[in-house]
Amino acid sequence: YRASGELPDGPDSAAVHRAEGTVTAAEVARLAKALGVRGAPHTDGTAWKVGSDGDGSGPVLKVVKQAPGTWTFARYGAGGPDACEPGPACAKQDRTPPSGPPVDEKAAKAAAAPVLKAAGQDGAALDADQLMGSVRVVNADPVVGGLPTYGWSTGIQVGAGGEIVGGSGHLKGLSKGDTYPVTGADEALEQLNAESRQSPKGGVGGCATSVPLEDDLAPQPD
């Protein structure tokens, strides 16, 4: 193996971080308030649930109780069989997201800020260049122990009207555990090359040639 360019430096040691514990109703209520979802958290299987008016078309927030507290939010749903009957009362319930050009990155980050704070991600690195049609997505990647993270993003979807139309993330923070030595990139490359030099030559499984078929090993009739 050969590296193309200079390998990055890293710490000599780093702590393990784990998501522990369970999500409380107060934590869910704080996130629901930031998202503008009405109602009190109630148990729905192994998760907390806030919102939805029974027909599945209203805003709904779901949070898994066990750490890491994975949460999902949708402002607009497809509706259900018990949707309201046609009439003046039903007409007042807007079930479709606004259309139009997406908001700019600055506006999207401003709209996402209260939600990120409620989710404990107000100090995360933000990226708002992702677009899904007229929806702009603000992706927040937290910094843990002074280091960037991967696979722990919170995504906030901001509609054309500037409101939060969807999102997902983790509500429980990461707790610091024991510290262990870390292998740097240069040393890791050296170890890979050392193991490669010690490996036996040949084909798959170390065989120099393919394994003969059983028919070739059977005795031939006279």
Side-chain angles (χ1 to χ4, degrees), residues 5-96:
E6 186 177 353
L7 294 174
D9 294 327
D12 295 328
S13 62
V16 175
H17 290 77
R18 296 184 177 91
E20 300 175 336
T22 56
V23 179
T24 65
E27 291 172 322
V28 177
R30 182 175 66 245
L31 179 59
K33 181 179 180 181
L35 289 166
V37 184
R38 298 179 180 178
H42 62 273
T43 296
D44 182 23
T46 59
W48 292 106
K49 182 178 180 181
V50 187
S52 183
D53 52 10
D55 63 4
S57 60
V60 59
L61 169 66
K62 291 185 178 181
V63 185
V64 177
K65 290 185 177 182
Q66 190 63 38
T70 302
W71 64 269
T72 57
F73 167 71
R75 185 168 301 281
Y76 302 98
D82 58 340
C84 61
E85 296 295 330
C90 188
K92 294 180 181 179
Q93 302 181 36
D94 185 4
R95 303 302 193 192
T96 58

Side-chain angles (χ1 to χ4, degrees), residues 34-196:
L35 289 166
V37 184
R38 298 179 180 178
H42 62 273
T43 296
D44 182 23
T46 59
W48 292 106
K49 182 178 180 181
V50 187
S52 183
D53 52 10
D55 63 4
S57 60
V60 59
L61 169 66
K62 291 185 178 181
V63 185
V64 177
K65 290 185 177 182
Q66 190 63 38
T70 302
W71 64 269
T72 57
F73 167 71
R75 185 168 301 281
Y76 302 98
D82 58 340
C84 61
E85 296 295 330
C90 188
K92 294 180 181 179
Q93 302 181 36
D94 185 4
R95 303 302 193 192
T96 58
S99 59
V103 298
D104 59 32
E105 294 189 19
K106 182 178 180 180
K109 290 179 180 179
V115 179
L116 293 174
K117 183 176 182 180
Q121 301 294 343
D122 47 329
L126 303 183
D127 182 352
D129 62 358
Q130 181 184 354
L131 290 175
M132 298 190 308
S134 61
V135 174
R136 186 175 294 277
V137 183
V138 179
N139 292 302
D141 293 298
V143 176
V144 178
L147 297 173
T149 57
Y150 178 79
W152 205 258
S153 296
T154 295
I156 307 297
Q157 302 171 16
V158 183
E163 66 175 352
I164 307 298
V165 297
S168 63
H170 308 290
L171 200 51
K172 294 300 289 185
L174 295 171
S175 301
K176 184 178 180 180
D178 294 332
T179 299
Y180 296 92
V182 175
T183 300
D186 288 307
E187 183 181 350
L189 181 61
E190 292 178 3
Q191 292 180 7
L192 282 172
N193 287 328
E195 293 176 1
S196 178

